[in-house]
Amino acid sequence: MKRLFALAGLLAAATVVRADGVPTVVTYVPHDTVTATMARGGSILNDHGLVILANRRGAGEVEVHARTNHVFIIVEGEATLVTGGTLVGPRQTAPDQTRASSVQGGEAHHLTKGDVITIPAKTPHWFKEVPTQTIAYYAINTEP
């Protein structure tokens, strides 16, 4: 019986260690790399289902990710981000990725420097208006 409990504990620990979206190593990214990546947009970390992006963008299309959960940390600019609602003219652009020109309904969030917003997988999200022309943010993405 003790062996059964020990085996169950080892299996549980192995499952936790292998879980996606959990860092597997210590990663240091120096500020000059982050700054350069923010200027062009892209990934500053990709570790077993945990992805951190540095982005600068304007208004765009609605996005829906079937598996990706977001945490956006706004570092510059302002925008109206709409979450939820019903997609208008949806089209699949990649596996687990849908885009649309707009949404009907949804909730508008006015984002500025210092704001943080979370967006669960399967939630439409849209930078509808960007009065500062661009908004800079870190996107921390996890996938199950």
Side-chain angles (χ1 to χ4, degrees):
M1 187 61 119
K2 288 182 181 180
R3 286 186 180 176
L4 181 61
F5 283 122
L7 181 59
L10 286 173
L11 288 174
T15 301
V16 169
V17 169
R18 297 186 57 170
D20 286 338
V22 177
T24 59
V25 297
V26 173
T27 303
Y28 167 72
V29 182
H31 70 274
D32 56 337
T33 301
V34 174
T35 301
T37 305
M38 182 64 79
R40 69 177 185 282
S43 177
I44 56 175
L45 180 108
N46 193 334
D47 182 7
H48 198 68
L50 170 65
V51 177
I52 301 177
L53 305 173
N55 286 320
R56 178 180 299 277
R57 64 180 289 174
E61 293 186 299
V62 180
E63 298 180 13
V64 180
H65 312 290
R67 296 173 35 89
T68 303
N69 302 290
H70 293 302
V71 177
F72 289 169
I73 303 168
I74 310 304
V75 295
E76 182 181 304
E78 67 178 284
T80 299
L81 178 75
V82 177
T83 57
T86 303
L87 299 175
V88 175
R91 65 193 189 289
Q92 187 169 357
T93 57
D96 297 326
Q97 307 286 325
T98 302
R99 294 191 183 238
S101 59
S102 65
V103 293
Q104 290 180 334
E107 183 178 355
H109 309 272
H110 182 78
L111 303 178
T112 60
K113 181 179 179 177
D115 289 343
V116 175
I117 189 166
T118 63
I119 304 168
K122 301 178 184 171
T123 302
H125 52 285
W126 176 31
F127 283 101
K128 181 179 180 182
E129 298 166 348
V130 183
T132 53
Q133 303 306 309
T134 63
I135 185 163
Y137 61 95
Y138 297 113
I140 301 169
N141 301 337
T142 60
E143 293 189 0

